[in-house]
Amino acid sequence: MVSRKVIYLLLLLSSFSFFAQAQTEPIPVKKDTTYWRKKKEFGLNFNQGSFSNNWQGGGVNNLGLGAFFNAKAEYRKERDSWVNDFQSQFGFQKIKDQEFRKSIDRLFFDSKYGRKLGQDTIWAFVANLNVLTQFANGFDFNYAYANQTYPHISGLITPFFLTEAIGIEWRPTSFFNLNFLPGSVRHTILADKDLYREIDARNATEVEAGGTPYEFKNYGVKRGNRALTEVA
């Protein structure tokens, strides 16, 4: 009859054998993501200035608020690179008796793919896509109608600038580069293609009242059309 010591010894050896076998299983290798460098930024700022009527240094009461969110992702491996840059900013201010007005309004995205012309060269072929637009309605405060309102000249994706370009990049260092983009196509797109109609109607009323009409160039887009394409 097998003794208990022998049974315990066999169990111990089998456990050790299983543990050793488990240890020899290949460890899964994590995907290498070191080719990517990513960065995000967010900021919120507030400012206020108040002045007494007895203050002789000058200045007017003011209030301002602004925010921004930026993100950048950069991929580099051997001869290939791909850089994506997103920027958004929005802010407004109120000065003395004026109503709130935008101080900054920007929505920007830039994507650039590059491939070096050689393994050790500082020159690369690049293809670039660039977008620039805004969030909120904009007004031209340099011109006032008789009723002290202002021309409505822009809005969300009005205008929307889209640029595609190809060319050569010179990058002598990791922190400086210069692009030569002789082949560029720029599209000016208006989400609200009838924005000019509102201004024309206001101008008609202004002329009847004896005022000077506001000159609106519609961002170069032919009136009634939605887009303008230009080749540089």
Side-chain angles (χ1 to χ4, degrees), residues 108-112 127-133 160-166 181-189 228-232:
F108 171 87
F109 175 72
D110 186 88
S111 181
K112 181 176 65 176
N128 182 251
L129 177 70
N130 183 281
V131 170
L132 177 63
T133 187
F160 179 91
F161 299 108
L162 172 64
T163 304
E164 303 126 2
I166 56 174
L181 304 172
S184 302
V185 179
R186 182 180 183 180
H187 310 277
T188 303
I189 303 169
L228 169 68
T229 299
E230 300 170 286
V231 179

Side-chain angles (χ1 to χ4, degrees), residues 208-225:
E208 289 179 1
T212 302
Y214 174 74
E215 183 181 1
F216 182 51
K217 298 182 179 180
N218 211 40
Y219 304 99
V221 180
K222 185 178 179 180
R223 293 190 167 202
N225 289 358

Side-chain angles (χ1 to χ4, degrees), residues 15 19 25 36 59 71 88 117 131 146 162 188 231:
S15 299
F19 177 75
E25 290 292 327
W36 282 99
S88 60
L117 301 181
V131 170
L162 172 64
T188 303
V231 179

Side-chain angles (χ1 to χ4, degrees), residues 13-31:
L13 290 174
S14 62
S15 299
F16 177 77
S17 175
F18 173 78
F19 177 75
Q21 183 179 2
Q23 288 293 95
T24 59
E25 290 292 327
I27 300 174
V29 179
K30 292 184 178 180
K31 185 178 180 180

Side-chain angles (χ1 to χ4, degrees), residues 91-186:
F92 60 85
Q93 63 180 1
K94 178 176 174 57
I95 299 177
K96 203 173 181 180
D97 299 325
Q98 295 178 352
E99 69 278 10
F100 281 101
R101 299 181 178 181
K102 288 195 303 181
S103 56
I104 190 168
D105 186 359
R106 188 170 187 261
L107 186 60
F108 171 87
F109 175 72
D110 186 88
S111 181
K112 181 176 65 176
Y113 166 77
R115 182 169 177 82
K116 287 185 177 182
L117 301 181
Q119 191 64 38
D120 300 319
T121 183
I122 58 176
W123 295 90
F125 165 81
V126 293
N128 182 251
L129 177 70
N130 183 281
V131 170
L132 177 63
T133 187
Q134 60 183 24
F135 294 100
N137 290 341
F139 301 85
D140 188 349
F141 293 105
N142 294 314
Y143 177 97
Y145 292 113
N147 61 357
Q148 294 305 303
T149 59
Y150 306 93
H152 173 205
I153 61 171
S154 62
L156 178 64
I157 317 182
T158 303
F160 179 91
F161 299 108
L162 172 64
T163 304
E164 303 126 2
I166 56 174
I168 299 295
E169 179 185 71
W170 177 57
R171 179 180 288 272
T173 67
S174 60
F175 57 86
F176 176 81
N177 67 285
L178 187 63
N179 294 319
F180 304 92
L181 304 172
S184 302
V185 179
R186 182 180 183 180

